[in-house]
Each structure stands twice: as structure tokens, then as C-alpha cells.
Amino acid sequence: MSYGDEHGYGDGPGRTDDGFGGTGQTRTRLPDGRSGDLYGGGPRRPARGSRSLITVVGVVVLLIAAIAFANRGGDKGAEGAKGTGGGAAAAPTAASGVKPVTGKNGTIPAGFPHTEQGAASAAANYAVALGSDGMFGQDSRDSIVETVYAPDAAGRLKDTLDAAYTVEFLQKLGLDANGNPPEGSTFVSRTIPVGTSVKSFGGDSAKVSVWYTGLIGMSGPGSTDPVSTTWKTWTFDLRWLENDWRIVTESQQDGPAPVPGDVAASTSDEINKAVEQYGGFTYAR
């Protein structure tokens, strides 16, 4: 959470908010000889198709993704994802020789350098925070928003987010009123940056795009929406405030998405253990 479909959440001028999975389609194939759903229990559901979307004006992008996840259904086909050809060559994600930030505001890294590299690291870490499951509980959501957004932007978002995360909405995701999953199940919402691109840098302002893959879904024996992967690009307009980078505005778009591989889907128990055993990264370099 997001910080999940959307983890930011909302739309604004120029946004294309359509959820973690967006309108792109994928095909899921289980290995020969396996029966049952993606977690190995019960009949396999038909592949899911295009997702209905609910737009909440002024709410960050990832909520749209969570809404799409809650309402998805139908059949999925196979469709390739198109990239954006041309443009400048990507800068390598090389070590800077500068020690990673050691400060934290809650669980979120803080104190990024007042440099292009610092802005890129801040954007990657903020994408992780906004795509986490912490966005589905009010107290943790407020803390995340206050940490990564500029004060004026955070003030506008908090009430809108609270109004969007209703009990009914959380129930669609299989969560209780406090954003908790049922006993024996694990709700997964993670953002994993693949790379960053500094679109512009002006000293006290920067625009940084984060290409990432996301995990969203409920892992458990009775889950009807198993954890799936998505691919998005998140672009942040950052401002240097109070000796750190803060988000002023953001937007999100689908892809680029690679062709899905043929790795067999894991059981819910394996997914639960992986979530417990593997923590996230601090993206500072």
C-alpha cells in the first residue's frame, strides 16, 4: 500500500489510474498434472480479465489499484506490453560511494541527499511505502502520507483517503474494518522498484519515474483472489522541504511489462512463509 490497486490512489489531471494490473492482460498457466487453483486447493478459477475501476478524485494512485483488485473478474487473454522506444539511454544504478541514509521517519528511510541521486532514492523508497499493506490501516496510512508528501499535499489527501477506505471497500479485499486479513490468511501488498529515471532536476525540485513490479492479493486456503504480480511506472514530482525530498504530485501508468514466465504458482503456505521471511529493501545508493 499501497504506500496497494493501489497502495497512492486517486486521479487528477493527466493521470491514467487503472490499478496495479491496469487494463493489460496476462495468461496464467499451471504445470501439467496440477489441478486446483493458483494455491493448489480446490477447482481452478477461470483466468481473470479486465477489471472494473472506481475513480476517487484527489486520492493517490494506488487506491485505484486496490479498487480494481477488489472488483476484478471475467476472463483474461494474452496481450503483449508495449514499451516506449527511443529516448535517452538509462543511467546505470551504480554505487555512489556515499553511505546509504541511516535516518528513519517511522519505518520509512529519511534524510536523502540534496542531489539527483538522493531524489531517485527517495522516489524509490516512497513508492515502496505507498505500495505497502500499511496503507490499508488508518493510523499507518496517516503516518505514511505525512512522511512522504509535502505538508499541503498530505493535508488534502488524508481526509479523502479516509473517506475512500470504507468498511465496505476493505471487505471487498477480504479485510476487516481495521485493514486486517482473516485468521490464517495473509494480505500481500508490496511495491518492488526495478529502476528509476530522473526526468528533471532543478536543485529544489525533481521529477523521478520509478519502474516497479507489484504484488497484490490475499494468500490463504480460502482465497478467491490469490497474490498476483503487476507492472507499473510511477512518476513523482518532488520538492526539497525541511532537509528532505517530499512528494508534491504523482501519476502512474501501466508497464512496461515483460512476458509472464512459466514458473509454477506457489501454494498459499509458501507465499505466507515468503512474506514473513523476506523483508523489503532500502533503496539508497
Side-chain angles (χ1 to χ4, degrees):
M1 229 164 341
S2 276
Y3 294 99
D5 236 352
E6 338 226 297
H7 285 257
Y9 305 71
D11 62 1
R15 293 191 183 177
T16 57
D17 305 337
D18 54 2
F20 261 153
T23 57
Q25 298 175 318
T26 58
R27 175 181 295 155
T28 303
R29 183 175 66 187
L30 292 180
D32 293 342
R34 287 190 62 173
S35 61
D37 66 13
L38 292 178
Y39 289 141
R44 182 184 176 189
R45 294 178 58 201
R48 291 166 297 191
S50 59
R51 304 173 181 181
S52 59
L53 302 177
I54 302 174
T55 302
V56 182
V57 176
V59 187
V60 282
V61 178
L62 284 176
L63 177 57
I64 293 300
I67 291 172
F69 169 72
N71 294 313
R72 60 186 173 180
D75 296 324
K76 281 188 179 178
E79 180 178 306
K82 296 181 179 179
T84 55
T93 307
S96 65
V98 178
K99 292 182 179 180
V101 297
T102 57
K104 282 192 175 183
N105 191 333
T107 60
I108 304 171
F112 295 97
H114 193 184
T115 62
E116 287 191 35
Q117 204 165 57
S121 292
N125 281 282
Y126 294 167
V128 171
L130 289 169
S132 73
D133 56 7
M135 290 297 288
F136 296 86
Q138 182 172 354
D139 291 343
S140 55
R141 179 171 64 249
D142 287 349
S143 177
I144 292 167
V145 171
E146 290 172 356
T147 299
V148 305
Y149 279 87
D152 54 346
R156 291 193 300 268
L157 280 173
K158 287 173 65 176
D159 289 343
T160 308
L161 287 169
D162 290 344
Y165 281 93
T166 62
V167 173
E168 292 75 18
F169 167 69
L170 293 173
Q171 287 177 342
K172 287 184 177 182
L173 296 173
L175 304 172
D176 65 18
N178 296 316
N180 298 314
E183 185 176 356
S185 295
T186 301
F187 179 67
V188 181
S189 184
R190 287 194 183 186
T191 295
I192 305 98
V194 176
T196 60
S197 175
V198 178
K199 302 300 183 182
S200 64
F201 182 78
D204 287 342
S205 63
K207 181 186 288 289
V208 181
S209 291
V210 181
W211 179 34
Y212 73 87
T213 183
L215 302 177
I216 181 74
M218 185 73 74
S219 175
S223 174
T224 58
D225 288 298
V227 180
S228 59
T229 58
T230 58
W231 291 86
K232 305 284 281 186
T233 299
W234 214 343
T235 300
F236 298 101
D237 287 302
L238 303 172
R239 184 189 305 161
W240 183 255
L241 293 170
E242 300 176 349
N243 296 316
D244 214 341
W245 293 104
R246 297 292 187 91
I247 301 171
V248 179
T249 61
E250 40 73 32
S251 62
Q252 194 169 165
Q253 66 184 41
D254 292 334
V259 175
D262 291 331
V263 178
S266 299
T267 65
S268 61
D269 184 58
E270 290 172 323
I271 293 294
N272 290 344
K273 288 180 179 178
V275 171
E276 294 173 358
Q277 294 172 359
Y278 295 92
F281 290 98
T282 297
Y283 292 88
R285 55 187 177 89

